[in-house]
Amino acid sequence: MTELLQKVRVIDPVSKIDELFDVLIADGYIQEVASHITDISPDASIRDCRGLVIGPGLVDLYSHSGEPGFEERETLLSLLQSATAGGFTRISILPNTSPAIDNPALVAQLQKKRGETRGQGDKGTGGQGDNFSPLSSPLPLLHIWGAITLDVAGKQMTELADLASAGVVGFSDGEPLENLALVRRVLEYVQPLGKPVAFWPSDRQLSANGVMREGVDALRFGLPPIPASAETSAIAALLELVAAIGTPVHIMRVSTSRSVELIASAKAAGLPITASTTWMHLLLDTKAIKSYNTSLHLDPPLGNSSDVAALRAGVRAGVIDAIAIDHTPYSYEEKVQAFAEAPPGAIGLELALPLLWQYLVETEEFTALELWRALSTSPAECLGQKVSAILPHQPAELTLFDPQQIWKVERKSLYTLSQNTPWLGQQIKGHVVQTWC
């Protein structure tokens, strides 16, 4: 199939381009990018794309799959569908499923399951009706994080070399690893394997039974606080190990201003680290929790306003390399509890790009290139991957986005099986039109 996209806004962080072009796509490749394309085949599909944006396909560093073990929250198919609907062409799932992804057999099982989803794009429930059909877009590439420890319990190391041979994208428990002797041994073992290793630094003893960031709002809302030092002390310890051993490390779920300072200093000193924050930590602060909406119970918790400002500045400056979605589905019954009792986490694959664009790009706090870089090329680099430039003869791995289309977040408009989002029932602006993968 040949498609001509006319007058589309091309945002390419690889080439650092943000301009209007015609883009010709055929047989899975970009054939031509020019100000005006006229030489096309008679059977080509022509689309007027004025007002639309096209960029490299979005890449999610880490999210949660309900399958295996919690299919009522999310199946692998619904996860892939929601990723496609959100503009993602690559998604990486964390290993804390049930059973945990801590052995090559389960990696192979999930890879086989991914193969079985081909051609099933529009067979799930939900969906955005006439606005979007996953049938028109291929489902994203699936990458799998292999567990660092057996059953992600933080005690006994997995057979990392076997998992690497099975094709995992890297190693992470997706849970805090507080045994520093084990962390040190992991850094030594993974060094020759050439795979990324990601840690979530968090001191659970300092966190205790807290559910929101320590500060004035925690006192006002009467919720148990978590001090920023629960994160920063763990980051400082991890950085010391990286300095001693030299193994490259990715730091997940950065959420405090002091963490940004520590990471900036470590990068300036030449430590081989990358870092990510999650999309909701860039948009909301502790004041939002006045609603006691359990979808705002996150781990790490939403930061104070100074944390949000530092995280945004960190992403723009490249201190925080990437924005992760950390899509965490839960059933309705699991989330309908008191705020402190509900499990932490929220969905986000279908919402992140529209809301980040609406509140960061349209307000001119971020440029379109800065946001797209943090959602596409930079996450890929954190995974040791590359994203192609939007140039002739390059593979067409692309996302077409309408920043002005308004839609309502409700059950029938989502592909994900879960509804745990604070934006449920609200109208938001921005919608993915199509992906190529």
Side-chain angles (χ1 to χ4, degrees):
M1 183 178 179
T2 301
E3 301 170 89
L4 176 61
L5 311 180
Q6 293 182 319
K7 302 301 178 232
V8 65
R9 181 181 175 184
V10 176
I11 299 174
D12 183 5
V14 180
S15 303
K16 296 180 174 56
I17 289 172
D18 183 356
E19 297 180 40
L20 287 180
F21 286 110
D22 286 359
V23 179
L24 184 65
I25 302 170
D27 301 322
Y29 282 84
I30 300 167
Q31 300 296 325
E32 189 176 355
V33 179
S35 56
H36 187 57
I37 298 174
T38 56
D39 186 15
I40 59 173
S41 61
D43 59 344
S45 170
I46 301 175
R47 177 185 291 175
D48 183 350
C49 290
R50 282 174 288 192
L52 303 185
V53 170
I54 196 167
L58 306 186
V59 179
D60 185 29
L61 265 177
Y62 42 87
S63 280
H64 299 262
S65 172
E67 187 176 1
F70 301 100
E71 286 81 0
E72 70 278 5
R73 298 174 182 169
E74 195 82 277
T75 64
L76 192 61
L77 176 58
S78 68
L79 178 76
L80 295 170
Q81 286 178 327
S82 59
T84 302
F88 291 87
T89 56
R90 307 181 199 181
I91 182 171
S92 305
I93 60 171
L94 290 167
N96 56 343
T97 50
S98 182
I101 308 172
D102 59 6
N103 63 84
L106 192 52
V107 175
Q109 178 183 325
L110 287 169
Q111 289 170 337
K112 180 182 178 183
K113 184 77 174 180
R114 169 62 183 90
E116 292 170 355
T117 64
R118 298 183 188 281
Q120 299 184 55
D122 67 338
K123 294 182 182 178
T125 59
Q128 293 149 347
D130 296 333
N131 297 328
F132 181 90
S133 170
L135 183 64
S136 66
S137 299
L139 296 178
L141 300 172
L142 176 68
H143 299 296
I144 301 166
W145 286 97
I148 292 173
T149 64
L150 292 176
D151 202 30
V152 296
K155 295 179 180 178
Q156 183 179 348
M157 197 162 56
T158 57
E159 296 291 343
L160 299 173
D162 290 348
L163 285 168
S165 298
V168 298
V169 73
F171 305 102
S172 178
D173 271 6
E175 300 289 342
L177 262 181
E178 297 188 69
N179 184 335
L180 291 179
L182 178 60
V183 173
R184 186 179 192 278
R185 190 149 49 95
V186 168
L187 293 179
E188 292 170 342
Y189 270 77
V190 301
Q191 199 168 57
L193 298 179
K195 297 276 187 180
V197 58
F199 293 99
W200 174 20
S202 178
D203 187 314
R204 288 311 200 192
Q205 290 184 321
L206 284 172
S207 297
N209 65 338
V211 295
M212 73 172 288
R213 177 68 65 225
E214 185 177 67
V216 173
D217 290 326
L219 289 170
R220 183 179 296 125
F221 304 147
L223 292 170
I226 298 176
S229 56
E231 176 173 293
T232 57
S233 61
I235 287 179
L238 178 61
L239 292 175
E240 285 297 306
L241 291 176
V242 173
I245 299 168
T247 303
V249 158
H250 181 79
I251 300 174
M252 306 167 63
R253 300 182 178 127
V254 177
S255 69
T256 76
S257 58
R258 176 59 180 153
S259 299
V260 178
E261 293 175 3
L262 290 170
I263 291 165
S265 296
K267 286 189 170 186
L271 264 62
I273 58 170
T274 56
S276 59
T277 188
T278 81
W279 72 287
M280 285 183 66
H281 286 86
L282 292 173
L283 292 180
L284 301 172
D285 62 24
T286 52
K287 291 180 177 58
I289 297 175
K290 67 182 178 181
S291 67
Y292 293 96
N293 187 322
T294 56
S295 293
L296 295 169
H297 180 191
L298 306 178
D299 197 4
L302 292 173
N304 296 306
S305 58
S306 58
D307 296 317
V308 176
L311 290 170
R312 290 181 179 185
V315 171
R316 292 194 64 198
V319 173
I320 305 298
D321 300 85
I323 301 170
I325 308 307
D326 207 6
H327 176 87
T328 309
Y330 282 107
S331 66
Y332 175 81
E333 292 75 16
E334 288 174 299
K335 276 291 193 178
V336 182
Q337 301 186 55
F339 188 91
E341 301 301 321
I347 60 172
L349 286 168
E350 299 171 62
L351 306 173
L353 176 60
L355 287 165
L356 289 168
W357 187 281
Q358 182 177 342
Y359 290 105
L360 297 183
V361 176
E362 290 202 345
T363 59
E364 299 184 351
E365 184 170 350
F366 276 50
T367 67
L369 273 172
E370 286 169 341
L371 177 63
W372 215 280
R373 170 185 57 78
L375 287 169
S376 60
T377 55
S378 290
E381 289 168 2
C382 292
L383 293 170
Q385 302 171 355
K386 289 186 178 180
V387 170
S388 299
I390 303 179
L391 294 172
H393 314 301
Q394 295 296 323
E397 185 180 350
L398 304 165
T399 294
L400 185 64
F401 176 63
D402 182 351
Q404 300 304 317
Q405 184 175 333
I406 295 173
W407 59 288
K408 189 174 183 180
V409 182
E410 52 189 349
R411 171 64 265 157
K412 65 181 180 180
S413 67
L414 295 170
Y415 281 100
T416 178
L417 300 184
S418 296
Q419 304 175 53
N420 53 310
T421 172
W423 283 276
L424 190 66
Q426 297 184 28
Q427 285 191 332
I428 63 174
K429 188 165 67 169
H431 203 285
V432 170
V433 177
Q434 186 176 345
T435 65
W436 292 260
C437 182

